[in-house]
Short mmCIF file of all heavy atoms in Angstrom, two decimals:
data_model
loop_
_atom_site.label_atom_id
_atom_site.label_comp_id
_atom_site.label_asym_id
_atom_site.label_seq_id
_atom_site.Cartn_x
_atom_site.Cartn_y
_atom_site.Cartn_z
N MET A 19 -7.51 1.54 -6.38
CA MET A 19 -6.52 0.59 -6.85
C MET A 19 -5.32 0.66 -5.91
O MET A 19 -4.86 1.73 -5.56
CB MET A 19 -6.09 0.94 -8.27
CG MET A 19 -4.90 0.14 -8.72
SD MET A 19 -4.38 0.30 -10.43
CE MET A 19 -4.23 2.02 -10.67
N TYR A 20 -4.85 -0.49 -5.50
CA TYR A 20 -3.68 -0.59 -4.64
C TYR A 20 -2.52 -1.07 -5.50
O TYR A 20 -2.64 -2.07 -6.21
CB TYR A 20 -3.92 -1.58 -3.50
CG TYR A 20 -5.16 -1.26 -2.70
CD1 TYR A 20 -6.35 -1.94 -2.91
CD2 TYR A 20 -5.13 -0.25 -1.75
CE1 TYR A 20 -7.48 -1.63 -2.18
CE2 TYR A 20 -6.25 0.06 -1.01
CZ TYR A 20 -7.42 -0.63 -1.23
OH TYR A 20 -8.54 -0.32 -0.51
N THR A 21 -1.42 -0.35 -5.45
CA THR A 21 -0.26 -0.70 -6.26
C THR A 21 0.96 -0.88 -5.38
O THR A 21 1.28 -0.01 -4.58
CB THR A 21 0.04 0.42 -7.29
OG1 THR A 21 -1.13 0.68 -8.05
CG2 THR A 21 1.17 0.02 -8.21
N TYR A 22 1.59 -2.04 -5.51
CA TYR A 22 2.85 -2.30 -4.82
C TYR A 22 3.94 -1.99 -5.82
O TYR A 22 4.14 -2.73 -6.77
CB TYR A 22 2.89 -3.75 -4.32
CG TYR A 22 1.77 -4.01 -3.35
CD1 TYR A 22 0.53 -4.45 -3.79
CD2 TYR A 22 1.94 -3.76 -2.01
CE1 TYR A 22 -0.51 -4.66 -2.90
CE2 TYR A 22 0.90 -3.96 -1.11
CZ TYR A 22 -0.32 -4.41 -1.56
OH TYR A 22 -1.34 -4.59 -0.69
N CYS A 23 4.61 -0.87 -5.62
CA CYS A 23 5.49 -0.32 -6.66
C CYS A 23 6.85 -0.98 -6.75
O CYS A 23 7.35 -1.17 -7.84
CB CYS A 23 5.67 1.17 -6.42
SG CYS A 23 4.09 2.04 -6.45
N HIS A 24 7.46 -1.27 -5.65
CA HIS A 24 8.75 -1.95 -5.69
C HIS A 24 9.07 -2.51 -4.33
O HIS A 24 8.56 -2.06 -3.31
CB HIS A 24 9.87 -1.02 -6.17
CG HIS A 24 10.06 0.20 -5.34
ND1 HIS A 24 10.87 0.24 -4.23
CD2 HIS A 24 9.54 1.44 -5.44
CE1 HIS A 24 10.84 1.44 -3.71
NE2 HIS A 24 10.03 2.19 -4.42
N GLY A 25 9.91 -3.48 -4.30
CA GLY A 25 10.35 -4.14 -3.08
C GLY A 25 11.70 -4.73 -3.39
O GLY A 25 12.61 -4.04 -3.81
N ASN A 26 11.82 -6.05 -3.31
CA ASN A 26 13.09 -6.69 -3.62
C ASN A 26 13.16 -7.16 -5.07
O ASN A 26 14.12 -7.78 -5.47
CB ASN A 26 13.37 -7.86 -2.67
CG ASN A 26 12.44 -9.04 -2.91
OD1 ASN A 26 11.48 -8.95 -3.65
ND2 ASN A 26 12.75 -10.15 -2.27
N GLY A 27 12.12 -6.87 -5.86
CA GLY A 27 12.11 -7.24 -7.26
C GLY A 27 11.59 -8.63 -7.53
O GLY A 27 11.46 -9.03 -8.68
N VAL A 28 11.29 -9.40 -6.51
CA VAL A 28 10.76 -10.75 -6.68
C VAL A 28 9.28 -10.72 -6.34
O VAL A 28 8.90 -10.70 -5.17
CB VAL A 28 11.50 -11.78 -5.80
CG1 VAL A 28 10.91 -13.16 -5.98
CG2 VAL A 28 12.99 -11.78 -6.12
N TYR A 29 8.46 -10.62 -7.37
CA TYR A 29 7.01 -10.56 -7.17
C TYR A 29 6.46 -11.98 -6.99
O TYR A 29 6.80 -12.89 -7.72
CB TYR A 29 6.34 -9.91 -8.39
CG TYR A 29 6.74 -8.48 -8.56
CD1 TYR A 29 7.86 -8.13 -9.30
CD2 TYR A 29 6.00 -7.48 -7.95
CE1 TYR A 29 8.22 -6.81 -9.44
CE2 TYR A 29 6.36 -6.15 -8.09
CZ TYR A 29 7.48 -5.82 -8.84
OH TYR A 29 7.83 -4.51 -8.97
N LEU A 30 5.63 -12.15 -5.99
CA LEU A 30 5.05 -13.44 -5.71
C LEU A 30 3.60 -13.53 -6.19
O LEU A 30 3.00 -14.58 -6.14
CB LEU A 30 5.15 -13.73 -4.21
CG LEU A 30 6.58 -13.66 -3.66
CD1 LEU A 30 6.58 -13.78 -2.15
CD2 LEU A 30 7.45 -14.75 -4.28
N ALA A 31 3.05 -12.41 -6.62
CA ALA A 31 1.71 -12.37 -7.21
C ALA A 31 1.85 -11.72 -8.58
O ALA A 31 2.62 -10.78 -8.76
CB ALA A 31 0.76 -11.56 -6.33
N ALA A 32 1.13 -12.22 -9.56
CA ALA A 32 1.23 -11.70 -10.92
C ALA A 32 0.65 -10.29 -11.01
O ALA A 32 -0.28 -9.93 -10.28
CB ALA A 32 0.49 -12.62 -11.89
N ASN A 33 1.19 -9.48 -11.91
CA ASN A 33 0.70 -8.14 -12.16
C ASN A 33 -0.78 -8.19 -12.52
O ASN A 33 -1.19 -8.92 -13.40
CB ASN A 33 1.50 -7.50 -13.28
CG ASN A 33 1.15 -6.04 -13.48
OD1 ASN A 33 0.57 -5.41 -12.60
ND2 ASN A 33 1.51 -5.50 -14.62
N GLY A 34 -1.60 -7.41 -11.80
CA GLY A 34 -3.03 -7.36 -12.07
C GLY A 34 -3.83 -8.48 -11.45
O GLY A 34 -5.04 -8.55 -11.62
N ALA A 35 -3.17 -9.38 -10.71
CA ALA A 35 -3.87 -10.51 -10.12
C ALA A 35 -4.79 -10.05 -9.00
O ALA A 35 -4.50 -9.10 -8.28
CB ALA A 35 -2.86 -11.52 -9.56
N SER A 36 -5.89 -10.73 -8.86
CA SER A 36 -6.79 -10.52 -7.74
C SER A 36 -6.33 -11.43 -6.62
O SER A 36 -6.20 -12.64 -6.82
CB SER A 36 -8.22 -10.85 -8.16
OG SER A 36 -9.11 -10.65 -7.09
N VAL A 37 -6.04 -10.85 -5.47
CA VAL A 37 -5.49 -11.64 -4.36
C VAL A 37 -6.39 -11.50 -3.13
O VAL A 37 -7.13 -10.54 -2.98
CB VAL A 37 -4.05 -11.21 -4.01
CG1 VAL A 37 -3.12 -11.47 -5.17
CG2 VAL A 37 -4.00 -9.75 -3.61
N GLY A 38 -6.29 -12.48 -2.27
CA GLY A 38 -7.08 -12.48 -1.05
C GLY A 38 -6.27 -12.01 0.14
O GLY A 38 -5.05 -11.84 0.07
N GLU A 39 -6.96 -11.84 1.24
CA GLU A 39 -6.35 -11.43 2.49
C GLU A 39 -5.27 -12.42 2.88
O GLU A 39 -5.44 -13.63 2.80
CB GLU A 39 -7.42 -11.37 3.57
CG GLU A 39 -6.92 -10.91 4.91
CD GLU A 39 -8.03 -10.82 5.93
OE1 GLU A 39 -9.19 -10.58 5.55
OE2 GLU A 39 -7.73 -11.02 7.12
N GLY A 40 -4.12 -11.90 3.26
CA GLY A 40 -3.02 -12.74 3.73
C GLY A 40 -2.11 -13.26 2.63
O GLY A 40 -1.14 -13.94 2.91
N THR A 41 -2.40 -12.94 1.36
CA THR A 41 -1.58 -13.39 0.25
C THR A 41 -0.24 -12.66 0.26
O THR A 41 -0.20 -11.43 0.34
CB THR A 41 -2.28 -13.14 -1.11
OG1 THR A 41 -3.52 -13.81 -1.11
CG2 THR A 41 -1.42 -13.62 -2.27
N LEU A 42 0.86 -13.39 0.19
CA LEU A 42 2.18 -12.79 0.13
C LEU A 42 2.39 -12.26 -1.28
O LEU A 42 2.33 -13.02 -2.25
CB LEU A 42 3.25 -13.82 0.49
CG LEU A 42 4.68 -13.32 0.61
CD1 LEU A 42 4.81 -12.22 1.66
CD2 LEU A 42 5.60 -14.48 0.96
N LEU A 43 2.61 -10.95 -1.40
CA LEU A 43 2.75 -10.32 -2.71
C LEU A 43 4.21 -10.15 -3.13
O LEU A 43 4.56 -10.33 -4.28
CB LEU A 43 2.09 -8.93 -2.69
CG LEU A 43 0.64 -8.91 -2.26
CD1 LEU A 43 0.16 -7.49 -2.15
CD2 LEU A 43 -0.21 -9.70 -3.24
N MET A 44 5.03 -9.74 -2.19
CA MET A 44 6.42 -9.45 -2.48
C MET A 44 7.17 -9.35 -1.15
O MET A 44 6.59 -8.99 -0.14
CB MET A 44 6.51 -8.09 -3.20
CG MET A 44 7.90 -7.63 -3.52
SD MET A 44 7.97 -5.91 -4.09
CE MET A 44 6.86 -5.94 -5.46
N ARG A 45 8.42 -9.67 -1.18
CA ARG A 45 9.24 -9.48 0.01
C ARG A 45 9.84 -8.07 -0.05
O ARG A 45 10.07 -7.55 -1.12
CB ARG A 45 10.34 -10.52 0.08
CG ARG A 45 9.78 -11.93 0.14
CD ARG A 45 10.81 -12.91 0.64
NE ARG A 45 10.30 -14.26 0.58
CZ ARG A 45 9.49 -14.81 1.46
NH1 ARG A 45 9.07 -14.12 2.49
NH2 ARG A 45 9.07 -16.05 1.33
N SER A 46 10.05 -7.48 1.11
CA SER A 46 10.61 -6.13 1.12
C SER A 46 12.07 -6.17 0.67
O SER A 46 12.73 -7.21 0.74
CB SER A 46 10.49 -5.50 2.50
OG SER A 46 11.29 -6.18 3.43
N GLY A 47 12.56 -5.04 0.20
CA GLY A 47 13.93 -4.97 -0.27
C GLY A 47 14.41 -3.54 -0.27
O GLY A 47 13.67 -2.61 0.06
N SER A 48 15.64 -3.33 -0.67
CA SER A 48 16.23 -2.01 -0.73
C SER A 48 16.94 -1.86 -2.07
O SER A 48 17.76 -2.68 -2.43
CB SER A 48 17.21 -1.82 0.42
OG SER A 48 17.76 -0.53 0.40
N SER A 49 16.59 -0.81 -2.79
CA SER A 49 17.25 -0.56 -4.08
C SER A 49 17.35 0.94 -4.30
O SER A 49 16.72 1.73 -3.60
CB SER A 49 16.45 -1.22 -5.22
OG SER A 49 15.16 -0.67 -5.29
N GLY A 50 18.14 1.33 -5.27
CA GLY A 50 18.29 2.75 -5.57
C GLY A 50 18.87 3.50 -4.39
O GLY A 50 19.83 3.07 -3.77
N SER A 51 18.26 4.63 -4.05
CA SER A 51 18.78 5.46 -2.96
C SER A 51 18.00 5.29 -1.67
O SER A 51 18.03 6.14 -0.80
CB SER A 51 18.76 6.94 -3.39
OG SER A 51 17.43 7.33 -3.67
N SER A 52 17.30 4.17 -1.52
CA SER A 52 16.54 3.95 -0.29
C SER A 52 17.48 3.74 0.89
O SER A 52 18.63 3.36 0.73
CB SER A 52 15.61 2.74 -0.43
OG SER A 52 16.34 1.54 -0.48
N THR A 53 16.97 4.00 2.08
CA THR A 53 17.80 3.88 3.29
C THR A 53 17.62 2.54 3.99
O THR A 53 18.24 2.29 5.01
CB THR A 53 17.46 5.01 4.28
OG1 THR A 53 16.07 4.94 4.59
CG2 THR A 53 17.80 6.36 3.69
N GLY A 54 16.77 1.68 3.43
CA GLY A 54 16.58 0.38 4.03
C GLY A 54 15.45 -0.39 3.36
O GLY A 54 14.74 0.15 2.51
N PRO A 55 15.29 -1.65 3.72
CA PRO A 55 14.25 -2.47 3.11
C PRO A 55 12.85 -1.89 3.35
O PRO A 55 12.55 -1.40 4.44
CB PRO A 55 14.39 -3.82 3.82
CG PRO A 55 15.76 -3.82 4.36
CD PRO A 55 16.08 -2.40 4.69
N HIS A 56 12.05 -1.92 2.33
CA HIS A 56 10.68 -1.43 2.43
C HIS A 56 9.86 -1.95 1.26
O HIS A 56 10.40 -2.46 0.29
CB HIS A 56 10.64 0.10 2.45
CG HIS A 56 11.06 0.73 1.15
ND1 HIS A 56 12.38 0.76 0.74
CD2 HIS A 56 10.34 1.30 0.17
CE1 HIS A 56 12.45 1.38 -0.44
NE2 HIS A 56 11.22 1.70 -0.82
N LEU A 57 8.56 -1.81 1.37
CA LEU A 57 7.65 -2.13 0.28
C LEU A 57 6.85 -0.87 -0.01
O LEU A 57 6.17 -0.35 0.87
CB LEU A 57 6.71 -3.27 0.68
CG LEU A 57 5.67 -3.68 -0.37
CD1 LEU A 57 6.33 -4.19 -1.63
CD2 LEU A 57 4.74 -4.73 0.21
N HIS A 58 6.98 -0.34 -1.19
CA HIS A 58 6.32 0.91 -1.58
C HIS A 58 4.90 0.59 -2.03
O HIS A 58 4.69 -0.12 -2.99
CB HIS A 58 7.12 1.54 -2.72
CG HIS A 58 6.57 2.84 -3.19
ND1 HIS A 58 7.35 3.78 -3.77
CD2 HIS A 58 5.31 3.37 -3.18
CE1 HIS A 58 6.62 4.83 -4.11
NE2 HIS A 58 5.38 4.59 -3.76
N LEU A 59 3.93 1.13 -1.30
CA LEU A 59 2.51 0.92 -1.58
C LEU A 59 1.87 2.23 -2.00
O LEU A 59 2.09 3.26 -1.37
CB LEU A 59 1.81 0.40 -0.31
CG LEU A 59 0.29 0.43 -0.29
CD1 LEU A 59 -0.28 -0.58 -1.26
CD2 LEU A 59 -0.22 0.20 1.11
N GLN A 60 1.10 2.21 -3.07
CA GLN A 60 0.32 3.38 -3.49
C GLN A 60 -1.15 3.01 -3.54
O GLN A 60 -1.49 1.89 -3.90
CB GLN A 60 0.74 3.86 -4.88
CG GLN A 60 2.05 4.57 -4.92
CD GLN A 60 2.34 5.13 -6.31
OE1 GLN A 60 1.77 4.70 -7.31
NE2 GLN A 60 3.24 6.07 -6.38
N VAL A 61 -1.99 3.96 -3.19
CA VAL A 61 -3.43 3.80 -3.30
C VAL A 61 -3.94 4.93 -4.19
O VAL A 61 -3.67 6.10 -3.94
CB VAL A 61 -4.13 3.88 -1.92
CG1 VAL A 61 -5.63 3.79 -2.08
CG2 VAL A 61 -3.63 2.78 -1.00
N LYS A 62 -4.64 4.57 -5.26
CA LYS A 62 -5.24 5.56 -6.16
C LYS A 62 -6.74 5.37 -6.18
O LYS A 62 -7.23 4.25 -6.34
CB LYS A 62 -4.71 5.41 -7.58
CG LYS A 62 -3.38 6.04 -7.83
CD LYS A 62 -3.05 6.01 -9.31
CE LYS A 62 -1.69 6.63 -9.56
NZ LYS A 62 -1.36 6.60 -10.99
N ILE A 63 -7.46 6.46 -6.01
CA ILE A 63 -8.91 6.45 -6.11
C ILE A 63 -9.29 7.54 -7.10
O ILE A 63 -8.90 8.70 -6.91
CB ILE A 63 -9.57 6.68 -4.73
CG1 ILE A 63 -9.19 5.54 -3.79
CG2 ILE A 63 -11.08 6.80 -4.87
CD1 ILE A 63 -9.65 5.70 -2.38
N ASN A 64 -10.00 7.17 -8.15
CA ASN A 64 -10.36 8.11 -9.23
C ASN A 64 -9.12 8.83 -9.76
O ASN A 64 -9.11 10.04 -9.91
CB ASN A 64 -11.40 9.11 -8.74
CG ASN A 64 -12.69 8.44 -8.35
OD1 ASN A 64 -13.09 7.44 -8.94
ND2 ASN A 64 -13.34 8.96 -7.33
N CYS A 65 -8.06 8.07 -9.99
CA CYS A 65 -6.79 8.56 -10.55
C CYS A 65 -6.07 9.55 -9.65
O CYS A 65 -5.20 10.28 -10.10
CB CYS A 65 -7.00 9.17 -11.94
SG CYS A 65 -7.65 8.02 -13.14
N GLN A 66 -6.41 9.61 -8.37
CA GLN A 66 -5.77 10.52 -7.43
C GLN A 66 -5.08 9.70 -6.34
O GLN A 66 -5.69 8.84 -5.72
CB GLN A 66 -6.81 11.45 -6.80
CG GLN A 66 -6.22 12.46 -5.85
CD GLN A 66 -7.28 13.34 -5.22
OE1 GLN A 66 -8.34 12.86 -4.83
NE2 GLN A 66 -7.00 14.63 -5.12
N LEU A 67 -3.78 9.99 -6.13
CA LEU A 67 -3.05 9.31 -5.08
C LEU A 67 -3.64 9.66 -3.72
O LEU A 67 -3.99 10.81 -3.46
CB LEU A 67 -1.57 9.70 -5.10
CG LEU A 67 -0.73 9.06 -6.20
CD1 LEU A 67 0.67 9.65 -6.21
CD2 LEU A 67 -0.66 7.55 -6.02
N ARG A 68 -3.74 8.67 -2.87
CA ARG A 68 -4.25 8.86 -1.51
C ARG A 68 -3.23 8.32 -0.52
O ARG A 68 -2.47 7.40 -0.82
CB ARG A 68 -5.57 8.11 -1.31
CG ARG A 68 -6.68 8.49 -2.25
CD ARG A 68 -7.18 9.90 -1.98
NE ARG A 68 -8.30 10.22 -2.82
CZ ARG A 68 -9.57 10.21 -2.42
NH1 ARG A 68 -9.88 9.90 -1.19
NH2 ARG A 68 -10.53 10.53 -3.26
N CYS A 69 -3.23 8.86 0.68
CA CYS A 69 -2.32 8.41 1.74
C CYS A 69 -2.86 7.09 2.31
O CYS A 69 -3.97 7.05 2.84
CB CYS A 69 -2.22 9.46 2.83
SG CYS A 69 -1.15 8.95 4.19
N PRO A 70 -2.10 5.99 2.25
CA PRO A 70 -2.60 4.69 2.73
C PRO A 70 -2.49 4.50 4.23
O PRO A 70 -3.03 3.54 4.77
CB PRO A 70 -1.70 3.69 2.00
CG PRO A 70 -0.41 4.41 1.82
CD PRO A 70 -0.80 5.86 1.58
N GLN A 71 -1.81 5.41 4.95
CA GLN A 71 -1.54 5.18 6.37
C GLN A 71 -2.80 4.93 7.20
O GLN A 71 -2.82 3.97 7.98
CB GLN A 71 -0.74 6.35 6.95
CG GLN A 71 -0.20 6.08 8.34
CD GLN A 71 0.85 4.98 8.37
OE1 GLN A 71 1.58 4.80 7.41
NE2 GLN A 71 0.92 4.25 9.45
N PRO A 72 -3.88 5.72 7.08
CA PRO A 72 -5.07 5.43 7.90
C PRO A 72 -5.66 4.04 7.61
O PRO A 72 -6.12 3.35 8.52
CB PRO A 72 -6.06 6.53 7.51
CG PRO A 72 -5.21 7.65 7.01
CD PRO A 72 -4.05 6.98 6.34
N LEU A 73 -5.61 3.62 6.36
CA LEU A 73 -6.12 2.29 5.99
C LEU A 73 -5.27 1.19 6.62
O LEU A 73 -5.79 0.22 7.16
CB LEU A 73 -6.13 2.16 4.47
CG LEU A 73 -6.64 0.84 3.91
CD1 LEU A 73 -8.12 0.67 4.22
CD2 LEU A 73 -6.42 0.80 2.41
N LEU A 74 -3.95 1.35 6.57
CA LEU A 74 -3.05 0.36 7.15
C LEU A 74 -3.19 0.30 8.67
O LEU A 74 -3.19 -0.78 9.26
CB LEU A 74 -1.61 0.66 6.75
CG LEU A 74 -1.30 0.56 5.26
CD1 LEU A 74 0.10 1.07 4.96
CD2 LEU A 74 -1.50 -0.85 4.75
N ARG A 75 -3.32 1.45 9.30
CA ARG A 75 -3.51 1.47 10.76
C ARG A 75 -4.81 0.79 11.15
O ARG A 75 -4.87 0.05 12.13
CB ARG A 75 -3.47 2.89 11.29
CG ARG A 75 -2.08 3.46 11.31
CD ARG A 75 -2.04 4.78 12.00
NE ARG A 75 -0.65 5.20 12.13
CZ ARG A 75 -0.28 6.42 12.41
NH1 ARG A 75 -1.18 7.36 12.63
NH2 ARG A 75 0.99 6.72 12.50
N ALA A 76 -5.87 1.08 10.40
CA ALA A 76 -7.17 0.44 10.69
C ALA A 76 -7.06 -1.07 10.53
O ALA A 76 -7.55 -1.82 11.38
CB ALA A 76 -8.24 1.01 9.77
N ALA A 77 -6.41 -1.53 9.46
CA ALA A 77 -6.24 -2.97 9.24
C ALA A 77 -5.47 -3.60 10.39
O ALA A 77 -5.81 -4.68 10.87
CB ALA A 77 -5.54 -3.22 7.91
N TRP A 78 -4.42 -2.93 10.84
CA TRP A 78 -3.60 -3.43 11.94
C TRP A 78 -4.45 -3.61 13.21
O TRP A 78 -4.28 -4.56 13.96
CB TRP A 78 -2.44 -2.49 12.21
CG TRP A 78 -1.60 -2.89 13.37
CD1 TRP A 78 -1.65 -2.38 14.64
CD2 TRP A 78 -0.58 -3.89 13.40
NE1 TRP A 78 -0.72 -2.99 15.45
CE2 TRP A 78 -0.05 -3.93 14.71
CE3 TRP A 78 -0.06 -4.75 12.44
CZ2 TRP A 78 0.96 -4.80 15.07
CZ3 TRP A 78 0.96 -5.62 12.82
CH2 TRP A 78 1.45 -5.64 14.12
N ASN A 79 -5.36 -2.66 13.42
CA ASN A 79 -6.21 -2.69 14.61
C ASN A 79 -7.50 -3.49 14.42
O ASN A 79 -8.34 -3.53 15.32
CB ASN A 79 -6.56 -1.26 15.03
CG ASN A 79 -5.35 -0.53 15.55
OD1 ASN A 79 -4.58 -1.06 16.34
ND2 ASN A 79 -5.14 0.70 15.09
N GLY A 80 -7.66 -4.12 13.26
CA GLY A 80 -8.83 -4.94 13.00
C GLY A 80 -10.11 -4.14 12.80
O GLY A 80 -11.20 -4.63 13.06
N VAL A 81 -9.96 -2.91 12.33
CA VAL A 81 -11.09 -2.00 12.15
C VAL A 81 -11.36 -1.81 10.66
O VAL A 81 -10.43 -1.70 9.87
CB VAL A 81 -10.78 -0.63 12.81
CG1 VAL A 81 -11.90 0.36 12.58
CG2 VAL A 81 -10.49 -0.81 14.29
N GLN A 82 -12.64 -1.75 10.29
CA GLN A 82 -13.01 -1.46 8.90
C GLN A 82 -12.73 0.01 8.60
O GLN A 82 -12.94 0.88 9.45
CB GLN A 82 -14.50 -1.74 8.69
CG GLN A 82 -14.87 -3.19 8.78
CD GLN A 82 -14.50 -3.94 7.51
OE1 GLN A 82 -14.45 -3.39 6.42
NE2 GLN A 82 -14.22 -5.22 7.67
N TYR A 83 -12.23 0.30 7.39
CA TYR A 83 -11.97 1.69 6.98
C TYR A 83 -12.35 1.81 5.51
O TYR A 83 -11.93 1.01 4.69
CB TYR A 83 -10.49 2.04 7.19
CG TYR A 83 -10.19 3.50 6.99
CD1 TYR A 83 -10.19 4.37 8.06
CD2 TYR A 83 -9.92 4.02 5.73
CE1 TYR A 83 -9.92 5.71 7.90
CE2 TYR A 83 -9.65 5.35 5.55
CZ TYR A 83 -9.65 6.20 6.64
OH TYR A 83 -9.39 7.53 6.47
N ASP A 84 -13.12 2.82 5.19
CA ASP A 84 -13.54 3.06 3.80
C ASP A 84 -12.42 3.78 3.06
O ASP A 84 -12.11 4.94 3.38
CB ASP A 84 -14.81 3.90 3.77
CG ASP A 84 -15.34 4.13 2.36
OD1 ASP A 84 -14.71 3.66 1.38
OD2 ASP A 84 -16.40 4.76 2.25
N PRO A 85 -11.79 3.15 2.07
CA PRO A 85 -10.71 3.79 1.33
C PRO A 85 -11.10 5.12 0.68
O PRO A 85 -10.24 5.97 0.44
CB PRO A 85 -10.34 2.75 0.25
CG PRO A 85 -10.80 1.46 0.81
CD PRO A 85 -12.03 1.78 1.61
N GLN A 86 -12.39 5.34 0.43
CA GLN A 86 -12.84 6.61 -0.15
C GLN A 86 -12.52 7.77 0.79
O GLN A 86 -12.45 8.92 0.36
CB GLN A 86 -14.34 6.58 -0.43
CG GLN A 86 -14.76 5.59 -1.49
CD GLN A 86 -14.30 5.98 -2.88
OE1 GLN A 86 -14.14 7.16 -3.20
NE2 GLN A 86 -14.08 5.01 -3.73
N ASN A 87 -12.32 7.48 2.09
CA ASN A 87 -12.05 8.53 3.08
C ASN A 87 -10.56 8.82 3.25
O ASN A 87 -10.19 9.65 4.08
CB ASN A 87 -12.65 8.14 4.44
CG ASN A 87 -14.15 8.10 4.39
OD1 ASN A 87 -14.79 8.84 3.65
ND2 ASN A 87 -14.74 7.22 5.17
N LEU A 88 -9.71 8.14 2.50
CA LEU A 88 -8.27 8.38 2.63
C LEU A 88 -7.93 9.81 2.19
O LEU A 88 -8.45 10.29 1.17
CB LEU A 88 -7.48 7.39 1.77
CG LEU A 88 -7.50 5.94 2.24
CD1 LEU A 88 -6.83 5.05 1.21
CD2 LEU A 88 -6.82 5.80 3.59
N PRO A 89 -7.04 10.48 2.93
CA PRO A 89 -6.67 11.85 2.56
C PRO A 89 -5.86 11.89 1.27
O PRO A 89 -5.12 10.96 0.96
CB PRO A 89 -5.84 12.34 3.74
CG PRO A 89 -5.35 11.10 4.41
CD PRO A 89 -6.37 10.04 4.14
N SER A 90 -6.02 12.97 0.52
CA SER A 90 -5.28 13.12 -0.73
C SER A 90 -4.05 13.99 -0.56
O SER A 90 -3.32 14.24 -1.51
CB SER A 90 -6.19 13.71 -1.81
OG SER A 90 -6.68 14.97 -1.39
N SER A 91 -3.81 14.48 0.64
CA SER A 91 -2.61 15.27 0.90
C SER A 91 -2.18 15.04 2.34
O SER A 91 -2.90 14.44 3.13
CB SER A 91 -2.89 16.75 0.66
OG SER A 91 -3.85 17.22 1.59
N GLY A 92 -0.99 15.52 2.65
CA GLY A 92 -0.50 15.43 4.01
C GLY A 92 0.12 14.10 4.39
O GLY A 92 0.42 13.87 5.56
N CYS A 93 0.36 13.23 3.43
CA CYS A 93 0.95 11.94 3.73
C CYS A 93 2.47 12.11 3.86
O CYS A 93 3.14 12.43 2.89
CB CYS A 93 0.63 10.94 2.62
SG CYS A 93 1.01 9.24 3.07
N SER A 94 2.97 11.92 5.05
CA SER A 94 4.41 12.09 5.27
C SER A 94 4.99 10.91 6.04
O SER A 94 5.96 11.03 6.75
CB SER A 94 4.66 13.38 6.05
OG SER A 94 4.01 13.34 7.30
N TYR A 95 4.36 9.76 5.94
CA TYR A 95 4.80 8.59 6.69
C TYR A 95 5.92 7.92 5.97
O TYR A 95 5.93 7.09 5.27
CB TYR A 95 3.61 7.64 6.92
CG TYR A 95 2.48 8.34 7.62
CD1 TYR A 95 1.40 8.81 6.89
CD2 TYR A 95 2.51 8.58 8.96
CE1 TYR A 95 0.35 9.48 7.51
CE2 TYR A 95 1.48 9.24 9.59
CZ TYR A 95 0.42 9.70 8.88
OH TYR A 95 -0.62 10.35 9.49
#
């Protein structure tokens, strides 16, 4: 499950909606004690948080990546 936790507070996709590639979900924003605009993304597999960085890098490079292989620790990005 991929969860977009917070951004600028203006959600462009409904909670729980199934979306396709390229769908704009939310604009980035800054709130609370953040140091700048960002979009907080979480990936959970079998109720365990996983580091999304390898998945995002693979997507950027146009490479397939199995989310089951995402690390469950060491995420410091």
Side-chain angles (χ1 to χ4, degrees):
M19 171 173 52
Y20 305 100
T21 306
Y22 299 89
C23 301
H24 58 88
N26 70 350
V28 179
Y29 295 89
L30 304 173
N33 187 18
S36 180
V37 296
E39 182 178 332
T41 302
L42 186 59
L43 305 174
M44 178 191 304
R45 300 198 185 280
S46 66
S48 182
S49 61
S51 60
S52 70
T53 58
H56 68 286
L57 178 62
H58 182 153
L59 166 70
Q60 286 185 340
V61 177
K62 279 188 181 180
I63 298 174
N64 297 326
C65 299
Q66 182 182 42
L67 284 173
R68 302 291 184 102
C69 179
Q71 190 66 32
L73 180 66
L74 295 172
R75 285 188 173 164
W78 177 261
N79 291 314
V81 177
Q82 292 283 331
Y83 189 93
D84 182 359
Q86 295 290 332
N87 294 328
L88 290 173
S90 59
S91 65
C93 193
S94 60
Y95 304 100

